[in-house]
């Protein structure tokens, strides 16, 4: 491989990885188009009222709100969809309108807490009894692991950015640094993406949970695009290691 092609491919792969990770970090910081489209996990609650009605044999009223400006965590009513990012989560009453929580560095993934904090007290008490002993309700497990995963993704992003910048200097030592930072970034992004994948998979157990015999709970969890972007960034960083290493060993400047 010619030197310029080798350096160029490594730089391109690092650039793509950094851009993907930037998208991961901006997910759900507000409800505008790009952040709205990127999340680490999504919880759909639109079927929960129907499930409670079928289980209790009574009409369920007042569980949801249609007020798009209603604050989160104030028992103002459940939203149809909750999207969780690395710094905050947003809840939407429809596909476009919603509110976001305050931004927190290393925000914990606590979907059950987010949902029940929007319910009137009687519904949250019913939910406590229904979801007891489920992983979905285990905020300490989900929250702690998401918090740890955040720092791996953050450090991996920083390492990837350093690899990209030093690779542009076109010096032997700079390529050595780029190689090392690419290895570190690849490892950290791998760990962060794997942890998020595992905890969302655990939370997905609620998808087959019944509130009563033969009555699905109406709450579903699924992966957000942020997890896929993290894995794509990992692939790009892993692929960049070899050309950076070749440049480190063969470049003469």
């Amino acid at each position: 491989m010619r030197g310029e092609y080798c350096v160029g491919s490594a730089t391109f792969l690092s650039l793509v990885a950094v851009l993907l990770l930037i998208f991961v970090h901006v997910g759900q910081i507000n409800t505008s188009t790009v952040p709205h489209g990127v999340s680490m996990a999504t919880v759909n609650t639109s079927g929960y009222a129907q499930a409670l009605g079928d289980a209790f044999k009574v009409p369920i009223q007042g569980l949801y709100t249609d007020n798009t400006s209603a604050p989160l965590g104030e028992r103002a009513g459940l939203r149809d969809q909750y999207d969780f990012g690395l710094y905050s989560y947003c809840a939407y009453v429809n596909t476009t309108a919603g509110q976001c929580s305050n931004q927190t560095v290393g925000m914990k993934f606590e979907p059950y807490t987010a949902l029940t904090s929007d319910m009137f007290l009687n519904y949250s008490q019913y939910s406590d009894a229904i979801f007891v002993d489920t992983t979905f309700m285990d905020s300490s497990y989900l929250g702690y692991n998401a918090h740890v995963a955040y720092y791996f993704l953050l450090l991996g992003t920083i390492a990837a950015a350093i690899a990209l910048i030093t690779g542009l200097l076109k010096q032997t030592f700079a390529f050595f640094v780029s190689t090392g930072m690419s290895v570190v970034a690849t490892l950290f992004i791998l760990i962060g993406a794997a942890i998020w994948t595992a905890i969302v998979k655990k939370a997905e157990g609620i998808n087959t949970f019944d509130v009563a015999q033969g009555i699905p709970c109406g709450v579903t969890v699924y992966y957000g695009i942020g997890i896929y972007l993290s894995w794509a960034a990992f692939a790009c960083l892993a692929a960049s290691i070899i050309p950076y290493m070749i440049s480190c060993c063969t470049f003469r400047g």
Side-chain angles (χ1 to χ4, degrees), residues 150-227:
Y150 163 78
Y151 285 102
F152 277 108
L153 290 173
L154 176 63
L155 293 174
T157 302
I158 294 172
I162 293 173
L164 173 62
I165 294 170
T166 54
L168 296 174
L169 299 179
K170 295 184 178 180
Q171 297 177 0
T172 302
F173 179 74
F175 288 132
F176 175 78
V177 174
S178 294
T179 303
M181 287 296 99
S182 291
V183 172
V184 171
T186 300
L187 179 61
F188 282 5
I189 298 301
L190 170 63
I191 295 173
I195 292 175
W196 261 106
T197 301
I199 61 176
V200 175
K201 184 64 177 179
K202 286 282 190 179
E204 277 187 331
I206 205 67
N207 297 358
T208 56
F209 183 80
D210 292 343
V211 296
Q213 186 65 36
I215 302 176
C217 70
V219 177
T220 55
V221 178
Y222 47 95
Y223 294 108
I225 192 174
I227 290 181

Side-chain angles (χ1 to χ4, degrees), residues 102-113:
N102 294 330
Q103 294 181 26
T104 303
V105 174
M107 189 196 73
K108 296 181 177 181
F109 176 49
E110 299 175 329
Y112 183 79
T113 299

Side-chain angles (χ1 to χ4, degrees), residues 112 127-142 202-210 217:
Y112 183 79
S127 300
D128 288 345
I130 291 170
F131 294 111
V132 65
D133 295 330
T134 62
T135 303
F136 181 72
M137 188 179 179
D138 190 354
S139 293
S140 59
Y141 167 79
L142 297 175
K202 286 282 190 179
E204 277 187 331
I206 205 67
N207 297 358
T208 56
F209 183 80
D210 292 343
C217 70

